[in-house]
């Protein structure tokens, strides 16, 4: 299997799936923790901020070329006056890597990050946390390059460094736990992600912050991991097959040893969403909008697991509370909202010597959405090219689940809804116009 296209496809769609758990009016492109996990490269008020703060801002504002020239001169001066592995090289090497990333030169950025990490380890020790700002950048660059397996090794190494630097259940380990959990979740390693989020909640419990707003990202991560386990983001014809070529975790820790216990334990995901609601209600002052968003997430969970009556009771309650707080509830529930749709596989391309340039295809479906969130009266309105993807898209749509339309706080049948699935495909060449591969032909006397 070609690793990169598979991973790019998986990451893109998992991101789309995770976004459906977010607020309808504030969609997220990717599930990440609300607190920054990457340690600062430049500490505020330090000498590095005086020397490199402006260059860092230049790179962030799109002036990477100018910053790169200054940083190259700075590196040459430091190496000439000191040596190739002096700790003063760490920040300019890393910033020059940032500049190369901004210039889309991933190979150069990876080389610079690797060198900065090596200098940091030589200067401060193999497991010193000063290297984390560089290691996480290296992981981000590897993800951008499509090398997810190498990125996983960097993410796991960073977590190991952080775990060795702090005692068990120290709050300082939370950023590393959350970042690694986010990485696993976005590469469909939902069991490993759940292990990290559960470990993060154990840290919160030990520090008596398990009912604070800071615990919400870990709780939501636990819920999403259970949801992905039960509702995969792409259509899988054979549940026993390995549809996702995700990297195998290389860590060995008690969190991973216990993760199998949580397999198919879906009530734990529901409990996590209920705890989020409780946290929102305990806030002083309470953020009514965030509380309602949390209730909607729990209602969506009930809908997914076939408890439509319970889900509709919660939707009606949210509708009522929206009206009481002056929010336009009618607009929020004006039409069905897609909660789950397993994406169909793209058509298999023909052999390379018989394929034309890729083209855009689509399938448009019409259907009604019942108060249970399920569809009925499915009709194919348009397909291009005809019948190429009709069966696959219809098959996936029959598994779709929608948040129902509400009128005056009551779920109703939403008629004549449409959905268009767009895809890329390779048209077949006419046999007479197909390019003949010389290597596949028998040798002639002239050859």
């Amino acid at each position: 299997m070609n690793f990169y296209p598979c991973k790019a496809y998986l990451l893109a769609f998992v991101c789309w799936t995770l976004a459906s758990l977010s607020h309808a009016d504030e969609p997220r492109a990717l599930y990440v923790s609300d607190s920054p996990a990457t340690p600062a490269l430049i500490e505020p008020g330090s000498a590095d901020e005086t020397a490199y703060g402006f260059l860092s801002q230049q790179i962030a504002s799109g002036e990477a070329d100018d910053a790169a020239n200054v940083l190259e001169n700075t590196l040459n001066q430091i190496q000439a006056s000191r040596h190739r592995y002096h700790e003063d090289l760490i920040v300019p090497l890393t910033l020059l890597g940032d500049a190369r990333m901004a210039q889309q030169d991933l190979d150069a950025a990876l080389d610079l990050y690797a060198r900065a990490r090596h200098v940091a380890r030589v200067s401060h020790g193999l497991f010193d946390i000063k290297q984390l700002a560089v290691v996480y950048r290296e992981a981000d660059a590897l993800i951008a390059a499509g090398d997810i397996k190498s990125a996983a090794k960097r993410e796991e190494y960073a977590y190991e460094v952080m775990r060795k630097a702090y005692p068990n259940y120290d709050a300082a380990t939370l950023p590393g736990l959350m970042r690694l959990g986010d990485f696993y979740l976005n590469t469909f390693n939902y069991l490993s992600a759940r292990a990290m989020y559960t470990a993060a909640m154990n840290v919160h419990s030990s520090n008596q912050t398990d009912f604070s707003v800071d615990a919400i990202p870990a709780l939501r991560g636990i819920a999403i991991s259970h949801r992905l386990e039960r509702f995969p983001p792409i259509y899988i014809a054979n549940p026993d097959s390995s549809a996702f070529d995700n990297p195998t975790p290389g860590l060995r820790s008690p969190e991973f040893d216990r993760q199998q216990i949580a397999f198919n334990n879906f009530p734990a995901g529901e409990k996590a969403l209920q705890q989020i609601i409780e946290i929102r209600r305990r806030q002083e002052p309470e953020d009514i909008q965030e509380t309602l968003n949390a209730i909607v997430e729990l209602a969506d969970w009930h809908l997914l697991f076939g408890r439509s009556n319970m889900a509709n009771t919660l939707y009606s309650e949210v509708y009522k509370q929206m009206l009481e707080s002056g929010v336009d509830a009618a607009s929020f529930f004006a039409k069905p909202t897609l909660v789950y749709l397993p994406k169909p596989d793209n058509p298999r391309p023909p052999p390379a010597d018989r394929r034309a340039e890729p083209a855009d295809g689509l399938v448009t479906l019409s259907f009604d959405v019942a108060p249970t969130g399920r569809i009925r009266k499915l009709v194919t309105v348009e397909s291009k090219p005809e019948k190429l993807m009709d069966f696959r898209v219809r098959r996936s749509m029959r598994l779709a689940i929608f948040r129902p339309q509400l009128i005056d706080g009551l779920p109703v049948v939403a008629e004549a809804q449409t959905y268009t699935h767009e895809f890329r495909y390779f048209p077949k060449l006419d046999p007479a116009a197909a390019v003949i591969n010389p290597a596949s032909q028998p040798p002639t006397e002239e050859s």
Side-chain angles (χ1 to χ4, degrees):
M1 180 181 292
N2 190 331
F3 177 75
Y4 172 62
C6 174
K7 276 304 173 184
Y9 170 83
L10 171 62
L11 280 172
F13 194 74
V14 169
C15 293
W16 177 88
T17 302
L18 299 180
S20 67
L21 266 183
S22 305
H23 308 156
D25 56 344
E26 299 176 3
R28 295 184 182 186
L30 182 66
Y31 180 73
V32 294
S33 58
D34 294 337
S35 56
T38 304
L41 175 68
I42 302 175
E43 294 295 335
S46 65
D48 286 336
E49 183 179 38
T50 303
Y52 301 108
F54 176 72
L55 294 173
S56 179
Q57 293 174 6
Q58 273 191 307
I59 296 170
S61 62
E63 301 176 9
D65 293 345
D66 294 337
N69 292 332
V70 175
L71 288 166
E72 286 177 341
N73 292 330
T74 301
L75 286 169
N76 291 332
Q77 292 172 6
I78 295 174
Q79 290 178 142
S81 61
R82 295 179 178 87
H83 55 80
R84 184 174 172 81
Y85 299 102
H86 196 277
E87 63 178 329
D88 287 352
L89 292 168
I90 298 173
V91 173
L93 279 171
T94 306
L95 287 178
L96 185 55
D98 293 347
R100 297 302 182 221
M101 281 288 291
Q103 295 169 334
Q104 302 298 312
D105 191 347
L106 297 180
D107 290 337
L110 284 168
D111 288 342
L112 288 161
Y113 290 147
R115 185 182 168 197
R117 170 170 51 85
H118 182 64
V119 172
R121 296 176 71 183
V122 169
S123 301
H124 303 291
L126 295 180
F127 293 100
D128 191 272
I129 62 173
K130 292 184 178 66
Q131 63 184 296
L132 291 180
V134 183
V135 174
Y136 281 133
R137 281 171 164 82
E138 198 174 3
D140 292 338
L142 288 165
I143 292 173
D147 190 352
I148 307 301
K149 290 184 177 179
S150 296
K153 293 179 180 178
R154 295 290 92 207
E155 294 281 355
E156 291 169 351
Y157 170 74
Y159 168 71
E160 289 279 27
V161 169
M162 188 171 291
R163 190 173 66 170
K164 290 180 179 181
Y166 301 105
N168 290 337
Y169 305 113
D170 193 306
T173 62
L174 283 170
L177 286 166
M178 291 302 301
R179 166 137 184 164
L180 187 55
D182 294 345
F183 175 81
Y184 284 144
L185 196 65
N186 292 321
T187 53
F188 204 70
N189 271 316
Y190 50 81
L191 284 177
S192 300
R194 189 179 308 151
M196 293 293 100
Y197 295 133
T198 302
M201 284 308 301
N202 291 336
V203 174
H204 279 296
S205 297
S206 298
N207 291 274
Q208 299 182 339
T209 56
D210 48 332
F211 277 88
S212 69
V213 175
D214 293 337
I216 289 178
L219 290 166
R220 182 172 283 120
I222 290 173
I224 295 175
S225 72
H226 284 286
R227 171 174 169 167
L228 286 179
E229 179 183 342
R230 177 61 181 83
F231 299 96
I234 66 173
Y235 184 90
I236 303 176
N238 180 9
D240 296 327
S241 66
S242 179
F244 300 97
D245 182 26
N246 45 358
T248 302
L251 291 176
R252 292 295 178 267
S253 67
E255 292 86 0
F256 288 109
D257 293 339
R258 293 190 295 265
Q259 66 181 341
Q260 297 297 337
I261 299 175
F263 189 72
N264 280 340
N265 184 23
F266 300 121
E270 179 182 339
K271 183 179 178 181
L273 294 177
Q274 291 171 340
Q275 187 167 337
I276 292 175
I277 296 174
E278 182 64 23
I279 291 172
R280 291 299 186 188
R281 284 174 170 165
R282 289 188 183 187
Q283 282 184 268
E284 292 291 346
E286 180 184 359
D287 188 331
I288 300 298
Q289 184 60 52
E290 289 295 338
T291 302
L292 294 179
N293 287 333
I295 296 174
V296 169
E297 285 190 24
L298 179 59
D300 290 346
W301 176 278
H302 288 308
L303 194 69
L304 283 166
F305 284 88
R307 299 189 290 268
S308 58
N309 289 337
M310 190 175 297
N312 287 334
T313 299
L314 291 175
Y315 291 139
S316 297
E317 180 62 24
V318 169
Y319 192 102
K320 176 183 175 182
Q321 292 188 35
M322 281 184 171
L323 292 179
E324 292 175 353
S325 59
V327 178
D328 189 355
S331 296
F332 185 83
F333 290 103
K335 60 181 181 179
T337 301
L338 184 62
V339 176
Y340 174 66
L341 173 65
K343 188 175 182 179
D345 291 332
N346 285 331
R348 181 176 298 177
D353 60 345
R354 284 182 290 176
R355 72 173 65 159
E357 291 297 316
D360 294 323
L362 61 86
V363 176
T364 299
L365 304 175
S366 174
F367 49 87
D368 297 344
V369 178
T372 60
R374 300 288 182 170
I375 69 163
R376 61 191 190 188
K377 298 182 180 180
L378 184 62
V379 177
T380 302
V381 176
E382 179 183 7
S383 64
K384 174 187 175 182
E386 188 175 358
K387 296 184 178 180
L388 178 62
M389 282 285 288
D390 295 31
F391 173 76
R392 296 184 184 187
V393 176
R394 289 174 63 91
R395 179 184 60 187
S396 291
M397 182 54 69
R398 287 193 179 95
L399 298 175
I401 301 173
F402 287 79
R403 186 186 304 152
Q405 177 185 358
L406 267 64
I407 295 180
D408 294 332
L410 298 176
V412 298
V413 176
E415 298 179 339
Q417 303 298 306
T418 59
Y419 175 82
T420 298
H421 175 75
E422 299 179 348
F423 59 93
R424 297 278 282 174
Y425 73 101
F426 292 93
K428 291 184 179 180
L429 285 176
D430 187 285
V435 177
I436 299 176
N437 184 358
S440 65
Q441 303 302 311
T444 61
E445 292 184 3
E446 290 78 1
S447 61

